Amino acid sequence: MNEKLYTEQETVRREKLKEISKVCNPYPDSFKRTHTLLEARNLSDETTDVSVAGRIIFMRKMGKLSFIRIRDLEADLQLEFKIDCVGEDNYAFFKKLIDTGDFIGATGEIFTTQTGEKTLRVHSFKFLGKALRPLPEKFHGLTDTEMKYRQRYVDLIMNEDSRKVFLGRSKFYNFLHRYLGENGFLEVETPIMQTAVSGAAAKPFFTHHNALDLDMNLRIAPETYLKQCIAAGYDRVYEVAKCFRNEGMDTEHLQEFTQVEWYVAYWNFENTIVFFQDFIRNALLELVGTTTINYRGNELDFGKESWTRINYIEEMKKYLKKLDESGLYDAEKYSRSLLHQTSQLSYFYCSLVKDGSPSDTYYHVHKRPKEHQMAYFNIGRGFPKELMDGHWCYVVKDLGYKMLIIPCTSIKKESSPVNPHFEKDLTVLDEHGMITHSRM
């Protein structure tokens, strides 16, 4: 068997590990801290018996005086090593065998340097772990995008912005549970493995339950079970749900993701809007201390009393007018043209879907890049209220698109006129093999 090849630095670190093993346990199982690094930075000068621990990210070794900087998830702290304070043997051990990337615990006294740097003067220290690979070079940091995503631990060590994101996420979840709990919401856990794809329009992952010999899918959304909780008597319910969708991926979409859904009995969408605005305002105050933030050069004010409301139906009509309506017998163009025609009529409900939903396609590509303030997309008011289960519908299929057409005759509203072009349209689509008939 061929021996694993190491870089020169990796080989040197392994040799140092052997030397450390002769002196002490290179990977001890515990170290008693008195303060985190963030807490230590806020201590008064001359505070003694302060014990901290962290990973070494910077070293400046000199003759009889050396400085290092250690880091945990929340803060950095400078440590001063003096040969007179730690002793000659310990200082020699420190200079010869300890590298950046290693873990160390230290106990000493807090003071402030002449340059204003809060520092721990080390009286004693304990070696806590040897890093067998060197950290990325400090000046350039971790710039390899693929490595940042595949080796998140290295990204968190080197990049402050990444640490802020992860810390912010944890703080947000703490706020979420507290805020919803204070407003009467109860958290539930609903099944991830299900026997029916429900709650959204997405491609699921499938699996097999060996004990039951049953094919199942991983959930794409928690909606159905949360609504069952409402039916069971929960007035206010929510879930932080891990969901899975077997679709494309980019920097904003992963096949495995977490979403939060809540449902409230006796509320309409106006109540939800008011609650959501308060939720966002309080979340910002909790996490960043202000309701006004700067995002990509745009100042966003979430503290406004009223947010912009965008009528989804009207905005879609403006967008659809721009579609090319020529070539009615081309499957894709005909589908688009028909959607444009029917979108102008109050007695039709159409949905154009390609790799997502109409709102997803329109919102991400056309609307969101132009919106620099928080806004609501009002969808519900454009749909017939009488739409119910059991009505006949037509599913139109073409090159990657699906169109769901519900004619006015399926909506129990006698005053609605009949579309004179509907039968002709369906005939053309049927001739192209683009129609399947089904019930809602």
Side-chain angles (χ1 to χ4, degrees), residues 241-305:
K242 182 70 74 174
C243 298
F244 306 84
R245 300 185 181 182
N246 196 4
E247 299 173 340
M249 62 185 295
D250 55 39
T251 56
E252 295 182 358
H253 299 85
L254 290 176
Q255 283 81 8
E256 176 185 344
F257 63 97
T258 304
Q259 66 180 23
V260 179
E261 285 196 15
W262 67 62
Y263 289 87
V264 184
Y266 317 119
W267 275 13
N268 61 17
F269 76 95
E270 292 285 355
N271 301 123
T272 302
I273 286 176
V274 172
F275 180 77
F276 182 69
Q277 286 185 204
D278 289 339
F279 174 84
I280 294 297
R281 291 192 191 102
N282 282 278
L284 287 172
L285 289 172
E286 175 89 6
L287 299 178
V288 297
T290 178
T291 57
T292 302
I293 62 174
N294 188 284
Y295 180 69
R296 295 181 178 178
N298 298 296
E299 188 175 90
L300 307 180
D301 182 10
F302 292 88
K304 296 190 303 181
E305 185 65 27

